[in-house]
Amino acid sequence: IHNPKNIIPLPEHMLNEELYPKREANALAIVLLRGRNLMQNKDDEVVVEPPNIFCTLRLGAEQVTSRTQIKNHNPDFGAEYFELPVESLHEVLAISVCNNKNGATIKRIQ
């Protein structure tokens, strides 16, 4: 649910600099910020030991992986920045949140 109070402003350099300035403008910029209450139930009761969380982002044949956040139900990725090339407007972005302890995917969004 969108809440304007939770908006995190991006650092100025991310607004003004491109990761690949010599490439054509056919890229999707993604900033990974944080996760909240991962693998906890609705009463904030911990269901399992804190996970080692990482995310994978896939667009077409390209895939990138975030840093792993160790033992953390509320991982903070610190505005980790990725750019994925866009080959077609029909490509689908797939985001997976994974637990590095057992290799399980916690959530996958397309």
Side-chain angles (χ1 to χ4, degrees), residues 1-2 12 16 24 39 42 52 59-61 67 70 76 84 88 91 93 101-102 106:
I1 298 173
H2 175 70
E12 191 66 29
N16 297 326
E24 291 183 30
M39 299 179 74
K42 64 183 174 184
N52 294 339
L59 185 65
R67 297 182 314 262
I70 305 298
D76 185 345
L84 293 169
S88 163
E91 290 180 319
L93 174 65
K101 286 186 178 182
N102 59 15
I106 297 169

Side-chain angles (χ1 to χ4, degrees), residues 69-104:
Q69 304 296 309
I70 305 298
K71 294 185 178 181
N72 199 336
H73 288 285
N74 300 298
D76 185 345
F77 293 94
E80 200 167 341
Y81 181 82
F82 303 98
E83 277 191 23
L84 293 169
V86 177
E87 301 296 329
S88 163
L89 295 177
H90 301 288
E91 290 180 319
V92 176
L93 174 65
I95 303 170
S96 297
V97 179
C98 305
N99 183 354
N100 202 22
K101 286 186 178 182
N102 59 15

Side-chain angles (χ1 to χ4, degrees), residues 11-54:
E12 191 66 29
H13 74 275
M14 288 188 175
L15 299 174
N16 297 326
E17 297 176 17
E18 292 184 38
L19 189 58
Y20 305 107
K22 295 182 181 177
R23 284 192 188 173
E24 291 183 30
N26 295 337
L28 176 64
I30 301 164
V31 179
L32 186 59
L33 298 174
R34 62 184 178 204
R36 293 290 176 254
N37 302 322
L38 300 178
M39 299 179 74
Q40 291 180 301
N41 68 18
K42 64 183 174 184
D43 299 321
D44 289 331
E45 187 176 305
V46 177
V47 176
V48 295
E49 180 181 343
N52 294 339
I53 298 294
F54 70 95

Side-chain angles (χ1 to χ4, degrees), residues 55-69:
C55 295
T56 60
L57 309 160
R58 179 188 301 265
L59 185 65
E62 296 287 327
Q63 178 174 311
V64 292
T65 302
S66 72
R67 297 182 314 262
T68 300
Q69 304 296 309

